Amino acid sequence: MDMAKKLTTNRQDAAMPGLLLGDVFPDFEANTTIGKIYFHQFLGNSWGILFSHPRDFTPVCTTELACAAKISDEFKKRDVKMIALSIDSVEDHRSWSEDVMALHPEHAGSLLPFPIIADDKRELSVLLGMLDPDEKDKDGMPLTARCVFVIGPDKRLKLSILYPATTGRNFTEILRAVDSLQLTAKKKVATPVNWKVPNHSRAIWVINHRSEREENLDLYRALERRGEIRRKKARLCLIGFTWHGDALV
């Protein structure tokens, strides 16, 4: 029995495959609107974002792809390679892309700035746990949910968000999350609620060991002079300092 059909007909017994944060993302082969790709090769040394869509030519999916296309330069500035996925064919994807780009008259006739994977057999959707058993097509087959996977240069999963097919994504939040992931990958910091990059952005630095303080002694002393170090038991929690680019301000 087809794996996607089995998931629909025997939902309670079906194991829902998926990925955990930190897992190496599968190096799958796929047909796309730019030809056949091998995922890890496609990413190279860049960050990556894979986002799935329930169906081509549907209203919510079209608005999402149009938004993603409009802000694609923002992902490019962050060295994030974008790739979408839907359960329709490459031919349908190419036709749909024309509709998507037509939503922005200034880009009408241009190519979609990222490829779309054709998962018409739902093999990747099953492998990555992206099917939404509650949303089915006319044949009773489950549609893909609106998944977001952010993959780091080490090919490991850094973030996953799962929206039902009925709820469109917020790409502003996805960009914000990417900014946080990239900052915290470079610095020993955490980003608080509603944190944003533009202008000066607050961050939190937690030091768990004396060796970490010694490795970052200049920053530690600068914060100490400003009275921004709070001690709590054996852990030093440095809060409320501000980053501008890579610099403390």
Side-chain angles (χ1 to χ4, degrees), residues 128-245:
L128 301 176
M130 296 192 294
L131 292 177
D132 184 345
D134 290 330
E135 295 294 325
K136 303 179 182 66
D137 64 14
K138 58 182 176 59
D139 297 318
M141 298 289 284
L143 299 174
T144 42
R146 302 183 192 280
C147 299
V148 178
F149 297 121
V150 177
I151 303 101
D154 58 0
K155 308 301 184 290
R156 293 184 181 276
L157 181 65
K158 304 301 182 183
L159 175 145
S160 64
I161 309 174
L162 179 62
Y163 297 80
T166 50
T167 302
R169 281 162 282 217
N170 184 330
F171 276 88
T172 302
E173 166 57 19
I174 293 169
L175 271 176
R176 190 195 74 87
V178 167
D179 285 334
S180 175
L181 290 169
Q182 292 186 337
L183 172 64
T184 57
K186 294 188 297 182
K187 306 290 184 183
K188 293 179 182 297
V189 299
T191 55
V193 62
N194 298 329
W195 176 89
K196 293 180 182 179
V197 158
N199 302 318
H200 294 166
S201 303
R202 310 290 282 182
I204 297 173
W205 183 27
V206 178
I207 294 183
N208 290 307
H209 305 288
R210 183 178 297 276
S211 60
E212 292 181 13
R213 184 183 70 181
E214 292 171 352
E215 289 170 6
N216 299 273
L217 195 56
D218 289 342
L219 176 58
Y220 179 86
R221 286 174 173 167
L223 292 166
E224 189 174 39
R225 286 194 298 270
R226 289 162 50 165
E228 292 183 351
I229 296 178
R230 297 185 184 181
R231 292 171 173 81
K232 185 177 181 182
K233 296 182 179 179
R235 183 165 66 181
L236 293 173
C237 183
L238 314 185
I239 69 168
F241 63 92
T242 302
W243 292 98
H244 186 208

Side-chain angles (χ1 to χ4, degrees), residues 60-103:
V60 175
C61 295
T62 301
T63 61
E64 285 193 315
L65 236 65
C67 176
K70 187 174 183 179
I71 64 172
S72 61
D73 284 346
E74 291 297 321
F75 285 98
K76 187 175 181 179
K77 283 194 300 188
R78 292 161 172 80
D79 192 28
V80 179
K81 289 191 174 178
M82 307 169 71
I83 188 165
L85 178 149
S86 183
I87 57 175
D88 293 291
S89 67
V90 168
E91 291 74 20
D92 284 340
H93 289 346
R94 286 175 176 153
S95 297
W96 183 33
S97 297
E98 294 176 7
D99 290 354
V100 169
M101 297 307 288
L103 288 179

